[in-house]
Each structure stands twice: as C-alpha cells, then as structure tokens.
Amino acid sequence: MAQSTMEASVEKFVYDFEEGNRDLKDLLGGKGANLAEMTNLGLPVPPGFTITTDACREFLKTGRPPEGMDPQVGEHLAALEAKMGRRLGDQHDPLLVSVRSGAKFSMPGMMETVLNVGLTDRSVDGLAAQAGGDERFAWDSYRRLIQMFGKTVCDVPGEEFEHALDDAKRAAKTKDDLGLDAAALKALVRTYKELFREHTGRDFPQDPREQLDLAVSAVFRSWNADRAVLYRRQERIPTDLGTAVNVVAMVFGNLGADSGTGVAFTRDPATGEPGVYGDYLANAQGEDVVAGIRNTIPLQELAGKDQKSYDELLKIMAKLEEHYRDLCDIEFTIERGKLWMLQTRVGKRTAAAAFVIATQLVDEGVIDLDEALRRVNGAQLAQLMFPTFDLSQEPEQLTRGVGASPGAAVGKAVFDAKHAVAMAKEGEQVILVRRETNPDDLPGMIAAQGILTSRGGKTSHAAVVARGMGKTCVCGADDLDVNLHKGQFTVDGHVVSEGDVISVDGTTGRVYLGEVPVQPSPVVQYFEGTLDAEADPLVSAVHRILTHADGGRRLRVRTNADTGEDAARARRFGAQGIGLCRTEHMFLGERRSLVERLILARTAEDRDAALEELLPLQRADFVELFREMRDLPVTVRLIDPPLHEFLPPLEDLAVKVAVAEERGQDPGHDKDLLDAVRRMHEENPMLGLRGVRLGLVIPGLFAMQVRAIVEAAAQVDGAHPEIMVPLVGAVQELETIRAEAEKIIGEHDVDVKIGTMIEVPRAALTAGDIAQAADFFSFGTNDLTQMGWGFSRDDVEGAFFWRYLELGIFGVSPFESIDRDGVGRLVRIAVDEGRAARPELHFGVCGEHGGDPESVHFFHEVGLDYVSCSPFRVPVARLEAGRAAVAEQSTSDTR
Ligand code: PEP
Ligand code: MG
C-alpha cells in the first residue's frame, strides 16, 4: 500500500511558503526562509513552496529524490494550482513556475535556476491568451525555457542556442531580441527543439510535471557544480549543506511598459545612509538585469512611471527594515502595475558600513548595543585597520582578482622569486607576479611588498602563505596573461613589464597601474590617539561598540611584545598587560656574539663571564618593559629556541672553513664555531634541546634571566613580573626550575609569580600534576598544534596545506584558528584538571590563536582568564571577547 505523506514516519520534504519562517534557513535555505517570512508578513509574494536541503542531501547521496518527496511535491503543486486557479501546462490558462536554488548561505549565481517551467506545445497558446493575445511574449517565454532547460538540466552546450538566436536575428535583420516577432520566435523554438533532440536523443519533454522534476534534480545537482564548489571553498562555506529548491508561481516583468524588474537596498550598503537605493529596468525579467543587456535607471525614477507601485515598494521596504531590524536587500517585479516581492535578505555590506549601520540603528532605537556588537566582527575590524589606497585621483584599474590577503601594496612588478629577492636587497619595493606560486617562490614572497597571481583562489598556495605572513595578496586575476619568459603580463591591451610600478589592493582584489598613494587607517589613528573618536562617523562607531565590548567581556586581553615600542603601542590599543615576552629576541643583533661566547665556553668561568655580561643588558630590557606596562602584569618567558639558532648556518661555516684550509690559512674562530654547530646539530631542533631543557642543561642561563627580571622589578614601581617556563612536559622539570628561581627571588623584596606554558601534549594530559608547581598556565597553541597534529609549524603551511584545504580536511589552517576537536580538547583537559587540582590557578593563551576571532570564542567558552596576541590584534580580541560574552548571554536567555 502506498504510504500517505501524512504519516508521521515520512519526513516532510516540502513546505508551503505559509509554513516556513526566517529561522528555518538550515532547512529551507536563505531564499526560501525569507520568502516564507515575507508571505507571513502579508507582503505580495507569488505563491510557492520550498523543497528542503534535507531532500537535496539525500539526492546527492543516492542520485535519486528521497522516498516520499515526489508525492509531497504533487500535493503542494496541487495546492499551488488551486491557489492560482491555474494548472501547470494547462492548454487554455497555464500555470508557469520558476525553479530556483537557495542555500543557507548566499552563493550568488553559483547554482541553477530554470524559469517558465510548465510551457509546452499545448500551453504556449494558452499563455498568449493569458497575456491578452501577446503571441510574441508566449513564444519568447517558450524559447527561453527550452534554452535554460536544455543548458542547465540536459547539458546542451549553451553556445548552440546562442548561435541559433544570432542566426534568427541576422535573418530578421535585427540586433535586438525585441526585433524578433512571434513568427520568428516560433521558428526559433523549432530550431531549439531540434538542437535539444540532437544533443539529448529525446524530444523536449511535453509533460509539465516531468519538466518540473527534472529541473528540481538539476538544481540539486548544481550544488556540486565546479564553480559552486570553488566559491564555497573561497568563502569557507561548508560543503555538506546542500541547497533548497524554491518552486514559485511565475510573474512577468516583461509584459510591456507597465511591467519591469528591480533591486533595492533599504539603506546605502557602502555607508549605511538611510534612503532609497536601487535600480529598475522596465519591460524586463531578472536575468536581463544580470546580463546587462540594457541600462537600468535609478529606482527613484520609478516614481515617475508607476507612482502606486513605487509608494507600495517604499512602504514594504520600511516594513522589512522594521521587521528584520537591519539593512535588507530586495528583488522585485512589477507585472502590469502589480508589485511582487521575489526575494529579500539581510543585505551584505562593507566592513565600515557594518559598524556605522549598527550604531545608527542603536541611535534610531531599533536595536541595543549588545545587538550592535553581535552585528560586527573582528575580521571586519581587522580589515578596517589596514591602510588603504587613496582613490581620489581615480587611478587606472588594470584588473580585479580575488582579495586573498588584505593590505595596500605598491612596487615594481617582478616575475621571478630570485629577481624579487635581489631587487629587494637593493632597496626596491617589488610586487611578485606569478601565474601561481609554489614553495620555491617563498624567498621572493618574503622579499615582496605584495603578491599577484593569475590563477587560484583564497586557498591557493599564494593566498595561504601570504595570509600567514600578513602580506598583501591578490590571486586568481585570470584576465592577466602572464609571460614569465618575457617578464611581462598583458591585460586588456596593457603590457606591464618587469620594473613597471603597480599597486595591489589585497582587500578588494583590485590591481592598478602605477603608484597609488596609500592612506593610513583612521581606525588605527584613533587607537594611536592621533584622531579624536568624534572626528569621523566610522571611528565613532568603532569607539562606541568597542567600549561596549570592553564593558561586557570576561576575557582580559594582553599582548605579545618584547620591545618597549610594541608594549607601548599595545597599551594604546587597549592591552591589559604582556602575556608573552619572548626573551630570545633580545639575544639577537649585537648581543649575538655574547651568546656565541656562552655557547662556545669551554669552562664554567668562561660561561659565567658571558652570563655576567648579559645580565645588565637583560635587566635593562625588562626595566623598559615594566615601565611601559606599569601596574599591569608582564609575563616574561625564559629563553626557548635551540641555541644553535644563534650560530651561523652549518653549510656556510663548513664552506668558509674548507676554503680557508684549502688556501693554507688558519680558520681560527670559524673552526671553533663550526665544531660547536656540528656538536649542536639536531635532526629535529623543534623537538630537541630547547625551552626548559636548555635551562636544565646549561647551568646559570635561566638563573641569569630570573635575576635580571627580579632586579628590574625592584627598580620599577608598579612592576608585576610573571616568570614563564617554556616547553614543560613533566612537573619535575618545572619543580627544578622553580626551586632555582625561588632562591633568587627570595633574595629580593618582590612578588613574582612562576608559571608554565602548556604547549607539549604531555603537559596538557598531566595538567593536574603540573598545576602543583605553577601559579598560572599559558597555552602555547602554536607548539601544541605542531605537536598535537605532528605538523612542522615552519614548513607545512607553504608545503601542502593548500591540498588539505582543497580536500576539506580542514576549512582553515589549524595554526590560524584553533582546532576545537583535537588541540582544543587538550586545552579543555588542561583547564579542567589544572583548576580541579588548584582552584586559584590562572589561565591564558599566548599562541597566535589568541588574536584569532573564532578561537577567542573558544577560549571564552573553556574559561580562560586572558588571551594574549600581537599589538595589532588587541582591538580585534577585545571586540571578539565582548561578542563571546554577548553570545553566551543570548544562549542562556533562550535556554
Ligand atoms: C606557542 O608555542 O604557542 C608559543 C607562544 O611559543 P612560540 O611561538 O614562541 O614557540
Ligand atoms: Mg612555543
């Protein structure tokens, strides 16, 4: 017996617009959910129904619609026919429907749409009668159906239809589709049907329900079309969501001068200014606007053509803004003076507009500041902190690619990584231009101001590596014809040769000829204190929202800094202390030779003498930091990296010594150095003699640092030093260092906390024990990721992460955003066990993740006390910490 769809056991795959609402985006997609919302608001939406994303996911798994879907489509179609008083494919008065994709996240133009479904040889005359005897319109609609259906549903090459259309226009001596009369279009339909048969081996389907079913399947399949897959990868949209399908009664904007179609925004998406923004095209359908066949007019001019529809549209726009409490964008059609709403959604906007609109809505009493905080994010704030190009002189735009890593870079085009390095050494600013990059290009990428490629998207090698380095990058500029041999690229008739200056905007993806002036970010000027908060609407919006975030956040925000300059800047940017001072950076430059002496010391006296000389220098470093961070905590990490990093590379030394010996000269000091480098050589230095291991092996090294910290603290009022031991894996390591440090601290009247990094998986797993010897834990998520995944942190991102991203093994590098399930689990275990063992223990994070928006939410959730990040990330972390607190608030409100 056939199962009734009313039985509870059958999943519901089809929803009438009356049955949905805007919260059902997961199930009905964005378009379907919002059409339902508008229907229920009583707005004029053409009737229809939505087939769910569940049905799509089933279809993609099995290649067939799920059981129960077909009869449900039948029932909803019957209801739609009843509502419209017309039947699909009816000979006298046919119902036509559009079949449109609509995923949870907007993927503009990436998937398929079929219009005019339901037209057949029988119903085409009925459509003409419906349109007041307009045969031309009916046959034009029919030829559009065969063309769209043939191309998207049955893979007939689109250009075949285009050629036939061109032939018809030529025969009719017209350049415009509108020049084809009914007879010509009737003949064209015949040709189209022949093309269809030729390519598919069957006749164009005359059963309207079969047309509908095939179109629905084609829309499902289009989820996996190449361009959709690529778009999702670039936009980090999950691959397994599937699309919903909307079946909507057709309304026609191409029924004459009293019809048309348009798009509108309820306020300016670039600035947030309230008003009427949009475009209108008379006597046209939506795809004509997209195809840019004719020029649109500003929406305001609709008032002069059809005042009634215009007034109604404005009323609807106001109602939508009030209802969604946000900027909405809208698509509409007017059919013979009757307005129909085809789509709405909360509109996309620039980063600047997001902040400005959010505070405007607060001022208008539409939302509160918590909601304003929810509507902006750290990625937008980070974007606003990059310098931008001053485009007032209207520079010549060469092309536009994918904005893969933000920033504004100017330099001479160079087509080879080695040239880039050589020119940069000469003091030139260069932009590395390649078709695509590979690991061999790395030195050139480092040397360049920016990178430009003609292939690849946001997850290509160039993009991933550039983002990792914070370097401006535009990729996938596919209009560029890059000729590496000639050292030039051509685009749109321009030839740019090696040495010509170009300007590359990694935020917008635009590439300009010549040098475009760069202007600093007003938001950064405000943080720096050189621009007043009220000086500019954007700055004022950032100030208000960030102040609100500060008021509500539970996480404190510290900075990673090891110079006074960085510390001072971070403090201006709102840092509440230093969470990581990497002391190894203090041993570079002129002090390298002292470290060399320490490493080469043959006796305890030699070693102590070197340490003795280092002590005052270190003390001065700490005095500076404590002064800049007066009254705030400063976490100083004892030296971490392998000591041979302070010596010259083995190969260079070996060559130098060999050459000297060959010439019969005495290699002297170089020979000692070479011996030391050989002695200290490690196959896996990242897993070798570094961190706490150094402190245990080299007598006096950590003691010297502790002494410098304590003596500096004694000199500075308001110093709050915290000593942090790196790379601890066992409590005994920490206990040994702690005992040594406490002896020194005991000689002075200062209060110093001693804690450890948790960056070795074993430390996380034995956190309960380690807590016994620690006043605080700071998660070193860089090493924890490296050792948790077994990924060498200096190599993998450039070497093969692009492939992992391509395969979707992860959507974003785990070095950029915390891997919640794996590395995050280690963090959770350590927090829970550490706190259980020692409730007063403090927790922070000082790996790169401390400034990553998504990760900040995770650290809030696991209950850390602070995040620590680079100075420029401090405002981003403040904002996201506030957002995390607000998000927690709203989940507990709805519980
Ligand atoms: C870490 O490992 O996360 C960390 C902060 O230390 P470093 O990056 O210096 O190894
Ligand atoms: Mg580390």
Side-chain angles (χ1 to χ4, degrees):
M1 205 178 80
Q3 266 194 337
S4 153
T5 54
M6 299 310 286
E7 269 178 36
S9 62
V10 176
E11 192 180 337
K12 184 171 168 62
F13 289 114
V14 186
Y15 287 71
D16 270 337
F17 290 164
E18 284 81 358
E19 296 176 290
N21 65 62
R22 66 172 166 181
D23 296 326
L24 294 180
K25 289 200 185 70
D26 284 337
L27 189 67
L28 304 179
K31 186 179 285 172
N34 286 322
L35 282 169
E37 189 77 11
M38 286 200 290
T39 302
N40 292 322
L41 277 176
L43 302 184
V45 175
F49 55 85
T50 304
I51 307 173
T52 65
T53 54
D54 283 347
C56 175
R57 282 193 298 270
E58 281 292 311
F59 179 93
L60 293 174
K61 247 187 264 161
T62 63
R64 275 179 287 114
E67 207 181 311
M69 186 188 111
D70 279 348
Q72 290 181 35
V73 169
E75 282 167 23
H76 287 266
L77 181 60
L80 176 61
E81 289 176 330
K83 221 175 282 168
M84 298 297 291
R86 288 175 174 160
R87 294 197 32 238
L88 199 68
D90 188 89
Q91 188 172 1
H92 302 294
D93 190 11
L95 168 70
L96 266 52
V97 293
S98 64
V99 178
R100 293 171 190 270
S101 59
K104 177 176 179 186
F105 301 107
S106 155
M107 296 170 51
M110 295 299 140
M111 290 180 294
E112 300 297 1
T113 288
V114 188
L115 303 180
N116 302 340
V117 168
L119 265 182
T120 60
D121 294 352
R122 273 160 55 91
S123 61
V124 65
D125 291 333
L127 180 66
Q130 231 177 60
D134 190 341
E135 292 217 353
R136 189 199 171 278
F137 162 73
W139 285 97
D140 189 42
S141 300
Y142 196 18
R143 75 99 192 151
R144 284 177 192 248
L145 168 65
I146 302 171
Q147 185 164 352
M148 257 192 234
F149 190 96
K151 181 166 171 249
T152 62
V153 182
C154 301
D155 294 327
V156 181
E159 59 276 12
E160 301 256 352
F161 293 117
E162 294 295 341
H163 290 158
L165 180 62
D166 287 344
D167 289 345
K169 283 195 275 196
R170 218 170 293 122
K173 299 193 169 46
T174 174
K175 284 204 157 70
D176 195 340
D177 295 10
L178 292 173
L180 294 174
D181 62 14
L185 287 163
K186 208 166 176 170
L188 187 59
V189 163
R190 259 198 310 277
T191 313
Y192 273 14
K193 286 205 287 191
E194 276 160 25
L195 278 173
F196 188 92
R197 191 174 325 108
E198 233 171 74
H199 283 276
T200 63
R202 60 162 294 183
D203 286 330
F204 180 74
Q206 294 297 317
D207 173 356
R209 176 64 204 265
E210 187 191 5
Q211 286 180 6
L212 175 62
D213 291 343
L214 290 172
V216 169
S217 299
V219 173
F220 281 160
R221 272 197 305 274
S222 70
W223 174 257
N224 282 333
D226 287 350
R227 62 180 182 213
V229 171
L230 195 68
Y231 183 84
R232 285 198 293 274
R233 203 180 299 145
Q234 282 188 9
E235 299 298 316
R236 295 191 185 165
I237 297 174
T239 56
D240 55 357
L241 300 177
T243 179
V245 181
N246 300 291
V247 178
V248 193
M250 285 291 304
V251 289
F252 296 96
N254 54 345
L255 276 174
D258 57 355
S259 304
T261 187
V263 293
F265 293 93
T266 56
R267 44 184 88 209
D268 186 337
T271 63
E273 201 70 34
V276 182
Y277 299 87
D279 301 304
Y280 181 73
L281 190 57
N283 197 10
Q285 281 194 302
E287 74 264 28
D288 300 332
V289 180
V290 179
I293 296 168
R294 277 176 284 144
N295 287 339
T296 56
I297 57 167
L299 187 58
Q300 282 86 341
E301 290 181 24
L302 173 63
K305 290 174 175 287
D306 182 350
Q307 188 74 46
K308 184 173 130 291
S309 296
Y310 181 73
D311 291 345
E312 191 183 355
L313 182 66
L314 291 205
K315 240 192 251 154
I316 289 174
M317 282 164 62
K319 187 163 184 173
L320 284 173
E321 248 221 16
E322 196 189 317
H323 184 69
Y324 283 88
R325 299 184 307 138
D326 207 343
L327 174 153
C328 295
D329 73 28
I330 288 160
E331 284 178 27
F332 65 92
T333 278
I334 298 172
E335 181 184 286
R336 297 212 161 131
K338 163 91 181 107
L339 175 69
W340 293 100
M341 303 303 293
L342 300 190
Q343 177 171 324
T344 191
R345 63 184 172 198
V346 168
K348 288 208 160 73
R349 64 205 71 187
T350 62
F355 278 86
V356 174
I357 291 173
T359 46
Q360 267 169 3
L361 291 172
V362 171
D363 292 340
E364 290 167 23
V366 179
I367 60 173
D368 61 13
L369 271 165
D370 274 358
E371 181 62 23
L373 184 53
R374 272 187 214 106
R375 291 188 181 183
V376 296
N377 61 51
Q380 289 164 335
L381 181 57
Q383 215 182 75
L384 295 172
M385 291 175 68
F386 283 102
T388 49
F389 284 128
D390 170 5
L391 300 176
S392 56
Q393 301 301 313
E394 300 187 1
E396 185 165 359
Q397 182 175 324
L398 284 173
T399 185
R400 184 169 187 180
V402 178
S405 181
V410 181
K412 291 184 172 170
V414 186
F415 296 81
D416 176 276
K418 283 204 183 93
H419 289 191
V421 173
M423 285 174 69
K425 272 207 181 115
E426 299 288 303
E428 300 274 16
Q429 307 218 314
V430 298
I431 305 284
L432 182 65
V433 185
R434 305 282 294 164
R435 281 200 199 113
E436 62 219 336
T437 60
N438 62 47
D440 292 337
D441 292 319
L442 201 58
M445 295 170 81
I446 294 168
Q449 302 297 309
I451 298 144
L452 170 62
T453 70
S454 59
R455 291 197 199 139
K458 278 191 179 164
T459 59
S460 63
H461 174 265
V464 172
V465 175
R467 273 200 302 277
M469 296 192 292
K471 194 138 291 195
T472 301
C473 175
V474 170
C475 54
D478 48 18
D479 298 347
L480 291 194
D481 187 2
V482 180
N483 189 326
L484 298 173
H485 294 299
K486 284 195 189 158
Q488 64 180 40
F489 69 77
T490 45
V491 57
D492 204 15
H494 289 282
V495 179
V496 173
S497 305
E498 180 144 324
D500 292 349
V501 173
I502 55 173
S503 300
V504 175
D505 187 330
T507 310
T508 62
R510 293 177 203 274
V511 181
Y512 302 95
L513 188 62
E515 177 178 347
V516 181
V518 174
Q519 56 195 4
S521 145
V523 173
V524 169
Q525 290 176 304
Y526 152 67
F527 291 141
E528 289 287 8
T530 54
L531 195 65
D532 193 72
E534 298 313 315
D536 169 299
L538 168 62
V539 166
S540 147
V542 169
H543 167 78
R544 286 173 66 188
I545 293 178
L546 209 47
T547 307
H548 186 67
D550 286 340
R553 65 187 157 89
R554 197 172 64 216
L555 279 173
R556 294 172 75 78
V557 177
R558 297 197 197 177
T559 191
N560 295 356
D562 38 65
T563 64
E565 195 186 333
D566 273 358
R569 163 173 290 136
R571 194 161 190 173
R572 291 195 296 274
F573 283 19
Q576 296 163 293
I578 290 182
L580 172 64
C581 160
R582 290 182 166 101
T583 51
E584 54 271 19
H585 294 169
M586 299 168 166
F587 292 115
L588 300 174
E590 293 151 11
R591 303 186 192 173
R592 215 177 245 279
S593 60
L594 272 177
V595 182
E596 258 181 46
R597 267 180 51 199
L598 175 71
I599 298 170
L600 298 181
R602 293 192 183 276
T603 64
E605 288 76 39
D606 287 353
R607 191 185 54 231
D608 289 349
L611 287 171
E612 197 64 26
E613 277 194 57
L614 278 167
L615 177 69
L617 301 173
Q618 278 269 268
R619 189 169 51 223
D621 298 329
F622 299 137
V623 164
E624 189 185 359
L625 284 184
F626 294 154
R627 285 216 174 107
E628 293 294 355
M629 280 290 164
R630 185 180 298 262
D631 298 329
L632 293 173
V634 174
T635 308
V636 180
R637 182 180 71 184
L638 304 180
I639 190 165
D640 179 27
L643 285 185
H644 67 65
E645 282 196 8
F646 297 97
L647 300 177
L650 176 68
E651 296 77 16
D652 295 2
L653 267 178
V655 170
K656 242 170 138 184
V657 171
V659 168
E661 284 174 348
E662 179 71 26
R663 291 182 182 156
Q665 298 160 344
D666 176 10
H669 179 62
D670 285 341
K671 182 80 174 72
D672 293 342
L673 266 184
L674 180 61
D675 290 344
V677 172
R678 286 219 169 101
R679 209 170 47 239
M680 300 179 74
H681 176 76
E682 293 176 313
E683 290 298 336
N684 293 306
M686 274 295 195
L687 303 178
L689 182 60
R690 54 174 283 221
V692 67
R693 305 160 196 179
L694 274 177
L696 296 172
V697 168
I698 307 211
L701 177 58
F702 276 14
M704 178 277 291
Q705 290 198 291
V706 170
R707 194 172 294 283
I709 293 166
V710 173
E711 290 177 1
Q715 281 181 29
V716 180
D717 266 352
H720 292 281
E722 301 180 342
I723 292 175
M724 180 154 76
V725 186
L727 224 73
V728 165
V731 67
Q732 294 86 345
E733 293 170 318
L734 183 59
E735 281 167 349
T736 311
I737 302 297
R738 186 178 186 105
E740 188 182 9
E742 277 177 344
K743 244 189 255 155
I744 301 165
I745 296 167
E747 294 163 12
H748 297 77
D749 180 25
V750 282
D751 176 27
V752 187
K753 290 195 168 57
I754 300 177
T756 178
M757 297 199 63
I758 301 287
E759 54 182 346
V760 174
R762 190 182 188 282
L765 297 172
T766 59
D769 296 336
I770 291 181
Q772 303 302 338
D775 300 321
F776 63 89
F777 283 176
S778 178
F779 291 94
T781 45
N782 304 332
D783 271 307
L784 205 54
T785 302
Q786 163 165 269
M787 295 184 221
W789 278 88
F791 281 151
S792 162
R793 57 193 262 200
D794 295 330
D795 302 312
V796 290
E797 294 202 82
F800 61 80
F801 265 24
W802 57 272
R803 183 66 180 144
Y804 274 55
L805 292 162
E806 202 169 76
L807 290 171
I809 293 172
F810 36 66
V812 50
S813 159
F815 285 109
E816 196 182 322
S817 196
I818 191 93
D819 153 35
R820 285 176 172 248
D821 301 336
V823 177
R825 178 123 193 268
L826 290 169
V827 173
R828 237 180 238 284
I829 290 171
V831 171
D832 292 347
E833 298 192 0
R835 188 163 280 151
R838 192 161 178 183
E840 69 277 19
L841 200 63
H842 277 255
F843 299 91
V845 55
C846 60
E848 286 307 300
H849 304 86
D852 167 63
E854 185 44 43
S855 312
V856 170
H857 286 248
F858 174 77
F859 298 131
H860 171 93
E861 285 162 31
V862 297
L864 299 196
D865 297 295
Y866 67 86
V867 296
S868 187
C869 53
S870 62
F872 269 89
R873 284 266 145 185
V874 166
V876 173
R878 285 165 55 196
L879 186 79
E880 289 295 349
R883 294 186 70 233
V886 165
E888 182 180 77
Q889 187 62 37
S890 31
T891 40
S892 60
D893 287 351
T894 53
R895 255 182 220 140

